[in-house]
Amino acid sequence: MPSRTDVDAVIIGAGFSGLYMLHKLRNQLGLTARVVEAGGGVGGTWYWNRYPGARSDSDSYVYGFTFDEQLWREWEWSERYPEQHEIRAYLEHVAQRFDLYPDITFDTRVTSATFDENTDTWTVSTDSGKPLTARFVIAAVGALSASNTPKFAGIETFRGESYHTGHWPHERVDFTGKRVGVIGTGASAVQAVPLIAQEAADLTVFQRTANYIIPANNGPVPEPVREERKQDYAGIRERIQNSAFGFELTLLEKGAAESTDEEIDAVLQPRWDAGGFGIWLGSYVDMFFLDEANAKVRRFLHDKIREKVDDPETAELLIPKGYPFGCKRNPLDSGYYETFNLPHVHLVDVQANPISGITPSGVRLRDGSEHEFDAIVYATGFDAMTGPMDRIDIRGRGGELLREKWAEGPRTLLGLMSAGYPNLFTITGPQSPSVLSNMPVSIEQHVDFVAKMIGELAERGAASIEPTREAEDAWVAENQALAEATLFPTADTWYMGANIPGKPRVFLPNLSFVGPYRAKCDRIAENDYEGFAFSGASAGPPHHDREQLLQPRVPR
Ligand code: N01
């Protein structure tokens, strides 16, 4: 039987997931909850990633919460894609509107969470203050929040300025007149490089793997389009929730494999001109399964790079090789390729000639050549999906450490819970659609489902819920089988854990697609929560009687 706890739930993180989870638990289920956040404000990803050009690659009108129609209608985004500071302002608005601030502790990092099998409670410790006890722990830690700086020899000896895109300073960084090196060419670098190039006297980009990059085509959204969308709240919500990727994009029935080059151009050119994820997530489904189909799409994209980049040698270097399009996260650009036409911008291939170390004055390559800089920007990404969980000492039944359980790859049911860790939930965790979707859509679905599970516990008078080992094994197997049927495992990507030395090569997100995954969760709930085990009798939540728990509450 659970004993009294400090709060009903501890939520780790105050990004999109943590804020909505707090609203749901406190304002709708009537539970007490405390959000513990490492940053000094709300925002999660958008609190930390303040590098020049940081913005979402999702269209603004689908990049936000839809659970509250009024909120959706009243917020105005200024451009097609929301910029970092605007997303932060939006999340601050959400936190104020639903009176969330009183239940958030900032500047505090959760260091451990330990489950007590005798009391069915969790003890959550932080790097400051006394531990908190709770019945539920919700890890709203983000999929891309554990930044990765490669362990380059001599990195600490560099005398200039060093930055990581995922931990950018709050004050403006001025590169005017400086020699700058950027390491990495993922989505963060693709956004930052054109803007850094505007200031720097000299810019060198170190590329290990070229990326397929598609124009964002950002800008203000025409008023009639905005108005039409405002009138279609319910339709948009319904479509994105039941879509493949959380966008209003649909994969085509006709495959690339059976199309001529002319037909492919006719399909892809308008998507290229429109900008956004249309070529990636809204064109040929067979390119994810057949290399022959994928090669036809690659041909189109390679030609585009050659058109944009003046120097043929640089263009060849920027053309991705050795992996299929779409199986590595597709960045969107605003002038990335064109930046390499500027005389003070250089591209260095560090696949052929890797970085051997950082010196007091710059970057040294394996062939002994050295590049001198005033500033180095590490756009080197994240220990994705499992990294944020691994960095907390999470101990479940028998004192088992979650990162040890996950040593060969994550083991979950639905990416929501792991067997042996009762009442511990992950929002958009590994083995859920998560990063293969427009995140706010998946976040809302997960938060709603977690709240439903917690409500179900109260209904049953049970103390805890967790997956059965059998159901978890089956989900892990299904997850891998889905990935192995595609070309995703053939690319060295953070989806596969390949960017972190020593990380097991396992496909981390889930490929069920957003709509079918949602339907699967709902079916499981209707089917008596098949695959989950409820245990222990509960006197009800510590601070409320059961009736009160299930009463919807008006936001405070
Ligand atoms: O990180 P990345 P990111 N030597 O891992 C290179 C989301 N996001 O921060 O490809 C040399 O993609 C590495 O090379 P390689 C989005 O989901 C979203 O850019 O591993 N290079 C790669 O080029 C995205 O995918 C948005 O061979 C090294 C780069 O560093 C995810 O976050 C914006 C190296 C890291 O690229 C991560 O993006 C930004 C080494 N030792 C990010 N180690 C939007 O929605 C690593 N690299 C707009």
Side-chain angles (χ1 to χ4, degrees):
M1 172 159 311
S3 56
R4 284 188 73 85
T5 50
D6 295 325
V7 284
D8 296 320
V10 169
I11 299 165
I12 311 172
F16 270 92
S17 314
L19 294 180
Y20 182 38
M21 195 76 243
L22 173 59
H23 169 61
K24 194 88 189 170
L25 291 184
R26 197 195 65 189
N27 298 342
Q28 292 186 3
L29 286 187
L31 299 182
T32 57
R34 174 131 304 266
V35 176
V36 183
E37 164 59 52
V42 300
T45 284
W46 303 106
Y47 177 85
W48 300 105
N49 287 263
R50 297 169 185 241
Y51 59 84
R55 65 173 71 236
S56 170
D57 280 342
S58 296
D59 281 66
S60 306
Y61 79 103
V62 290
Y63 198 76
F65 292 119
T66 63
F67 68 84
D68 184 300
E69 182 170 355
Q70 193 57 32
L71 169 68
W72 189 83
R73 284 184 185 285
E74 74 193 12
W75 187 262
E76 294 287 344
W77 299 101
S78 63
E79 288 183 307
R80 174 173 175 184
Y81 303 97
E83 207 183 352
Q84 176 267 337
H85 76 263
E86 213 172 348
I87 305 173
R88 274 252 296 148
Y90 168 74
L91 291 173
E92 282 169 358
H93 168 71
V94 169
Q96 265 154 13
R97 195 178 194 282
F98 297 102
D99 192 24
L100 303 178
Y101 280 111
D103 291 315
I104 307 176
T105 303
F106 291 109
D107 297 310
T108 303
R109 186 171 286 280
V110 169
T111 51
S112 70
T114 307
F115 185 69
D116 181 336
E117 292 181 67
N118 297 318
T119 58
D120 283 320
T121 58
W122 285 90
T123 300
V124 178
S125 298
T126 67
D127 59 4
S128 63
K130 82 173 187 41
L132 278 169
T133 55
R135 282 186 67 200
F136 307 106
V137 175
I138 296 105
V141 291
L144 294 157
S145 56
S147 64
N148 164 50
T149 304
K151 292 183 174 51
F152 293 123
I155 194 164
E156 69 295 341
T157 66
F158 182 58
R159 283 194 301 257
E161 303 154 34
S162 299
Y163 303 101
H164 191 288
T165 47
H167 280 281
W168 203 260
H170 289 203
E171 52 288 352
R172 192 178 118 68
V173 176
D174 187 1
F175 291 114
T176 306
K178 292 183 179 156
R179 297 163 303 167
V180 182
V182 174
I183 302 176
T185 54
S188 302
V190 166
Q191 291 186 325
V193 159
L195 292 173
I196 296 175
Q198 285 175 16
E199 288 184 356
D202 196 82
L203 172 63
T204 302
V205 178
F206 294 94
Q207 172 188 279
R208 186 166 70 179
T209 309
N211 250 314
Y212 288 96
I213 299 161
I214 288 175
N217 198 11
N218 189 32
V221 176
E223 188 49 39
V225 177
R226 289 157 76 107
E227 200 37 49
E228 196 182 318
R229 286 174 178 161
K230 285 268 183 224
Q231 299 312 319
D232 192 20
Y233 162 77
I236 290 170
R237 184 167 202 246
E238 202 272 328
R239 288 193 292 280
I240 59 180
Q241 288 186 343
N242 294 299
S243 63
F245 302 107
F247 298 99
E248 290 198 276
L249 293 170
T250 310
L251 293 162
L252 301 173
E253 271 179 30
K254 182 169 180 185
E258 68 242 29
S259 302
T260 63
D261 282 354
E262 292 68 32
E263 286 168 334
I264 301 244
D265 290 353
V267 164
L268 299 187
Q269 186 62 45
R271 287 167 172 75
W272 176 270
D273 295 338
F277 286 145
I279 295 185
W280 184 32
L281 305 177
S283 72
Y284 297 107
V285 70
D286 63 346
M287 72 182 170
F288 294 106
F289 297 90
L290 293 174
D291 192 56
E292 163 202 1
N294 198 284
K296 293 192 170 188
V297 177
R298 296 203 296 267
R299 190 267 314 155
F300 175 89
L301 296 171
H302 293 178
D303 287 351
K304 291 294 177 203
I305 300 170
R306 292 190 184 103
E307 279 169 26
K308 281 185 172 241
V309 181
D310 296 344
D311 173 42
E313 251 181 60
T314 308
E316 276 318 300
L317 202 50
L318 286 165
I319 290 176
K321 293 167 193 76
Y323 70 93
F325 167 66
C327 296
K328 191 171 167 75
R329 164 63 152 77
N330 173 207
L332 303 183
D333 83 313
S334 297
Y336 180 73
Y337 287 127
E338 291 83 349
T339 302
F340 293 97
N341 296 334
L342 300 172
H344 69 293
V345 179
H346 324 283
L347 183 66
V348 172
D349 177 5
V350 291
Q351 192 162 67
N353 187 17
I355 295 171
S356 65
I358 307 293
T359 68
S361 51
V363 173
R364 181 179 292 139
L365 304 185
R366 191 168 62 189
D367 68 359
S369 60
E370 196 165 325
H371 298 259
E372 295 194 352
F373 298 116
D374 302 306
I376 297 177
V377 174
Y378 296 92
T380 44
F382 302 89
D383 182 353
M385 306 206 80
T386 50
M389 298 294 281
D390 286 351
R391 290 180 190 194
I392 304 171
D393 288 338
I394 300 173
R395 290 184 188 276
R397 291 192 191 282
E400 184 188 37
L401 260 179
L402 186 67
R403 66 171 162 273
E404 281 175 10
K405 179 181 173 188
W406 286 5
E408 301 304 318
R411 303 195 69 77
T412 76
L413 177 54
L414 297 170
L416 272 169
M417 299 194 84
S418 193
Y421 299 80
N423 294 354
L424 170 73
F425 303 90
T426 44
I427 306 299
T428 59
Q431 297 177 340
S432 74
S434 181
V435 293
L436 287 179
S437 71
N438 177 28
M439 289 299 276
V441 177
S442 288
I443 287 169
E444 275 195 348
Q445 186 261 336
H446 257 194
V447 168
D448 288 344
F449 198 70
V450 168
K452 189 169 169 169
M453 290 168 100
I454 289 175
E456 181 70 18
L457 272 170
E459 286 265 16
R460 295 178 185 225
S464 68
I465 181 170
E466 68 188 287
T468 65
R469 298 272 168 185
E470 298 71 36
E472 179 173 287
D473 290 348
W475 184 248
V476 173
E478 181 177 332
N479 219 55
Q480 290 315 308
L482 280 172
E484 275 158 24
T486 71
L487 298 174
F488 276 94
T490 66
D492 289 341
T493 61
W494 60 255
Y495 294 146
M496 295 297 301
N499 63 327
I500 304 294
K503 190 164 175 172
R505 195 180 172 92
V506 174
F507 189 69
L508 293 168
N510 167 270
L511 267 169
S512 301
F513 294 159
V514 167
Y517 173 85
R518 171 188 297 272
K520 179 161 189 126
C521 290
D522 292 345
R523 262 197 320 276
I524 284 175
E526 278 158 27
N527 210 6
D528 202 24
Y529 287 87
E530 188 183 12
F532 290 95
F534 292 84
S535 63
S538 164
H543 304 290
H544 311 279
D545 65 32
R546 207 163 299 144
E547 270 55 55
Q548 190 188 0
L549 173 75
L550 295 171
Q551 281 298 313
R553 281 195 166 187
V554 181
R556 282 192 263 159

